[in-house]
């Protein structure tokens, strides 16, 4: 597939994610971590305009100079921006205007990519493709949060499959003590936080071959998991108490029955589905209740060759830190991952919302311990 086809395929898929939405759905920002869908549409467009068209395309005319302020996410190098918490206040530009903006930039990019481009530009393009695909995942999970916090629990799509039953009996995969290579190795695209490849010594350990299920997590709830401080870190216990947490996100108890919100609306809990929308605090407490632990990200990467993964982001016991020899790229691109390497936990794998070609065993996702609006799950180790 040539660059033009790659670009247009990715751009069209982003818009297809938004097809089930009503206009009002595009504007909502219920919490700081969730961005309005129309902001995602604008920001991914701004990325190509700012980093490709403006510096490299001859005679390109910027669509609207104000959009740099509106759609810049966190790039200090590029200038001032609307703070994240205020994205939901952007009633203007309208949804229609943002789609016009996308069409304008897509047309300019198609013309630009029909000409020969340098290797430097190709690298920026591939980063731009992957950046938009990351926002496709965020779009899906942000839309779920927006609709899932609507008291009417509206259906996003009855066809969108977010769960598969876990039918196999879980066994523990044993890994021998030794020194193992960690990090990306190859010539294809990877994010900078997957580099540099390095050696890590691991004690012998075991990791479960399957994710934990809703049924297992219900046992934790029924055993008083949310009322016994012994299972929790002090910070996690404070989070439970302060926010009155008693179940995973999107779970609702009606009399003695549990339901959860899905893209298909509010449905009864299926005990065979993998538990999801779990914080690190909850994953740790569940593991503690089971007398086990979460794997480190290095244990996960080594063991992942021997189990199926990719349906849920899996919390690890590792802090998000740079690998040995990591260095940030110069300029705005260097702000992409390195500036976030503090106070966050690493998640490994992928989820049902992750684009298929992002499914690298070395992919490092990262979130603060309390967050759970992504498709996060639990795999135990011992």
């Amino acid at each position: 597939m040539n660059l033009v086809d790659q670009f247009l395929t990715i751009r069209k898929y982003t818009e297809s994610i938004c097809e089930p939405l009503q206009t009002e759905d595009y504007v909502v920002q219920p919490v700081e971590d969730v961005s309005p869908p129309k902001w995602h549409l604008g920001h991914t467009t701004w990325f190509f305009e700012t980093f490709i068209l403006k510096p490299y395309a001859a005679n390109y005319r910027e669509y609207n100079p104000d959009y740099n302020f509106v759609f810049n996410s966190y790039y200090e190098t590029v200038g001032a921006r609307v703070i994240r918490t205020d994205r939901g206040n952007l009633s203007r530009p309208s949804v229609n205007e943002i789609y016009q903006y996308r069409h304008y930039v897509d047309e300019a990019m198609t013309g630009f990519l029909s000409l020969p481009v340098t290797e430097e530009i190709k690298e920026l393009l591939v980063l731009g493709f992957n950046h938009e695909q990351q926002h496709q995942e965020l779009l899906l999970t942000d839309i779920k949060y927006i609709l899932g916090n609507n008291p009417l629990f509206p259906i996003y799509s009855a066809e969108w499959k977010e769960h598969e039953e876990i039918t196999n009996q879980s066994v523990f995969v044993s890994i021998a003590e030794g020194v193992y290579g960690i990090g990306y190795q190859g010539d294809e695209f990877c994010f900078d936080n997957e580099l540099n490849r390095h050696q890590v010594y691991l004690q012998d350990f075991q990791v479960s071959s399957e994710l934990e299920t809703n049924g297992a997590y219900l046992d934790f709830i029924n055993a008083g998991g949310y009322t016994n401080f012994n299972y929790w870190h002090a910070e996690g216990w404070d989070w439970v108490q302060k926010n009155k947490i008693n179940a995973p996100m999107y779970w609702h108890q009606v009399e003695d029955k549990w339901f959860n919100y899905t893209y298909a609306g509010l449905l009864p809990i299926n005990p065979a589905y993998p538990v999801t929308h779990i914080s690190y605090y909850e994953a740790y407490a569940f593991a503690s209740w089971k007398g086990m632990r979460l794997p480190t990200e290095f244990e996960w990467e080594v063991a992942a060759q021997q189990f199926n993964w990719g349906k849920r982001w899996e919390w690890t016991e590792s802090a998000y830190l740079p690998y040995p020899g990591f260095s940030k790229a110069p300029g705005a691109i260097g702000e992409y991952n390195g500036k976030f390497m503090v106070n966050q936990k690493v998640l490994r794998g992928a989820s049902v919302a992750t684009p298929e070609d992002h499914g690298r065993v070395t992919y490092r996702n990262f979130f603060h311990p309390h967050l759970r609006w992504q498709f996060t799950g639990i795999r135990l180790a011992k």
Side-chain angles (χ1 to χ4, degrees), residues 211 275-278 283 312-315 347 375-379:
L211 293 168
V275 66
T276 192
H277 300 297
I278 289 288
R312 296 291 181 270
W313 285 109
E314 303 178 25
W315 287 106
L347 299 99
F375 285 97
T376 52
I378 305 171
R379 189 184 301 273

Side-chain angles (χ1 to χ4, degrees), residues 157-346:
S157 170
E159 288 75 41
W160 211 95
K161 189 175 183 181
E162 61 182 270
H163 300 294
E164 290 182 2
E165 289 192 359
I166 295 176
T167 56
N168 298 326
Q169 183 71 29
S170 181
V171 297
F172 276 83
V173 174
S174 296
I175 303 296
E177 173 185 10
V179 176
Y180 295 90
I182 298 294
Y184 182 77
Q185 185 176 38
D187 299 322
E188 301 300 319
F189 175 84
C190 74
F191 289 109
D192 58 359
N193 66 357
E194 299 172 58
L195 301 171
N196 290 314
R197 188 164 176 84
H198 60 288
Q199 302 296 304
V200 171
Y201 168 77
L202 299 175
Q203 301 273 8
D204 57 344
F205 65 95
Q206 294 180 302
V207 176
S208 175
S209 62
E210 301 291 341
L211 293 168
E212 294 302 309
T213 62
N214 287 334
Y217 204 84
L218 275 169
D219 291 340
F220 170 68
I221 293 174
N222 293 332
Y226 282 94
T227 59
N228 189 335
F229 69 89
N230 287 293
Y231 304 132
W232 301 79
H233 285 119
E235 189 175 287
W237 184 243
D238 290 343
W239 173 78
V240 166
Q241 300 297 299
K242 180 180 178 180
N243 297 283
K244 296 180 172 56
I245 305 295
N246 66 354
M249 180 177 281
Y250 302 124
W251 283 36
H252 302 273
Q253 192 171 24
V254 181
E255 296 178 349
D256 62 342
K257 295 183 179 179
W258 283 100
F259 297 80
N260 70 325
Y261 178 76
T262 71
Y263 287 124
L266 195 65
L267 298 173
I269 294 288
N270 185 327
Y273 287 163
V275 66
T276 192
H277 300 297
I278 289 288
S279 68
Y280 163 78
Y281 295 141
E282 292 164 296
Y284 172 88
F286 176 86
S288 180
W289 172 72
K290 294 281 285 188
M292 300 187 206
R293 62 179 178 85
L294 302 176
T296 68
E297 66 164 317
F298 308 128
E299 289 173 335
W300 189 97
E301 184 173 323
V302 171
Q305 313 290 341
Q306 300 186 44
F307 57 72
N308 292 324
W309 55 270
K311 299 302 182 183
R312 296 291 181 270
W313 285 109
E314 303 178 25
W315 287 106
T316 74
E317 200 54 84
S318 296
Y320 180 47
L321 297 170
Y323 283 169
F326 171 84
S327 62
K328 295 195 296 184
I333 298 303
E335 298 186 53
Y336 202 73
N337 282 318
K339 65 192 293 181
F340 301 112
M341 291 175 172
V342 63
N343 297 333
Q344 304 200 62
K345 285 289 189 179
V346 174

Side-chain angles (χ1 to χ4, degrees), residues 7 11 15 38-51 53-54 60-72 93-109:
F7 175 77
R11 298 285 285 172
E15 295 184 9
K38 76 171 190 176
W39 186 88
H40 286 290
L41 293 174
H43 169 70
T44 50
T45 305
W46 167 88
F47 190 97
F48 286 108
E49 181 179 56
T50 301
F51 296 117
L53 292 173
K54 287 169 67 174
Y60 176 75
R61 294 185 61 185
E62 188 176 13
Y63 184 80
N64 185 327
D66 290 336
Y67 283 10
N68 189 67
F69 177 68
V70 172
F71 294 122
N72 181 5
S94 68
V95 173
N96 184 54
E97 287 172 317
I98 290 174
Y99 274 111
Q100 290 176 13
Y101 176 42
R102 285 182 70 87
H103 177 73
Y104 178 88
V105 169
D106 287 356
E107 195 170 66
M109 282 290 296

Side-chain angles (χ1 to χ4, degrees), residues 130-161:
N130 282 269
H131 170 261
E132 179 135 356
Q133 288 176 307
Q134 284 186 315
H135 277 272
Q136 289 166 356
E137 180 167 6
L138 288 169
L139 252 177
L140 282 164
T141 50
D142 287 2
I143 288 168
K144 183 174 182 180
Y145 192 95
I146 289 166
L147 300 181
N149 283 273
N150 183 314
L152 299 178
F153 299 120
I155 293 173
Y156 167 70
S157 170
E159 288 75 41
W160 211 95
K161 189 175 183 181

